Amino acid sequence: ISRCGMIYMEPSELGWEPVLSSYLATLQPQFSEEQLETIRVVFEWLLPPCLKMTSRELVLFVPLTMMHLARQAMTLFKYITAPLIAEKAMQFKEWVAPT
């Protein structure tokens, strides 16, 4: 604890869950609450076994924390879903202003 009352924590002590919460907040305008909850459930279901397997079975050339690996999984999810989001936006624009 610092003199001004700040509590310092190692990022590895926080885990990946706060990163997920932060990531889901960035998805807010693109997904409904129900969809965000489904995404949260899927990440909470799949990410722990994936991270455990990564730490036990793989040799990483660059040392990474579980938080960084989780963030990379979220980035991968973002790029996988980008075409779907773009398609949804295009359909909305066509519906609003048909040609």
Side-chain angles (χ1 to χ4, degrees):
I1 299 180
S2 72
R3 284 184 259 166
C4 66
M6 292 182 67
I7 299 173
Y8 296 101
M9 294 184 69
E10 290 291 323
S12 60
E13 296 295 321
L14 290 174
W16 58 269
E17 290 87 356
V19 176
L20 178 61
S21 296
S22 174
Y23 174 71
L24 291 175
T26 66
L27 297 178
Q28 193 74 29
Q30 300 159 347
F31 293 96
S32 69
E33 288 296 323
E34 183 178 307
Q35 291 169 326
L36 289 173
E37 185 59 30
T38 302
I39 294 168
R40 175 184 294 282
V41 168
V42 168
F43 271 108
E44 289 174 349
W45 171 51
L46 292 175
L47 208 49
C50 290
L51 294 175
K52 186 181 282 187
M53 190 275 305
T54 301
S55 66
R56 288 184 181 173
E57 304 295 328
L58 300 179
V59 176
L60 300 175
F61 295 106
V62 177
L64 296 170
T65 64
M66 294 299 137
M67 184 175 59
H68 288 101
L69 292 171
R71 182 65 185 148
Q72 290 305 312
M74 294 168 206
T75 301
L76 182 62
F77 176 80
K78 173 184 164 185
Y79 287 109
I80 289 172
T81 58
L84 300 173
I85 294 168
E87 181 180 319
K88 181 180 171 185
M90 183 62 75
Q91 289 174 353
F92 179 73
K93 287 178 185 176
E94 290 173 0
W95 181 72
V96 172
T99 54

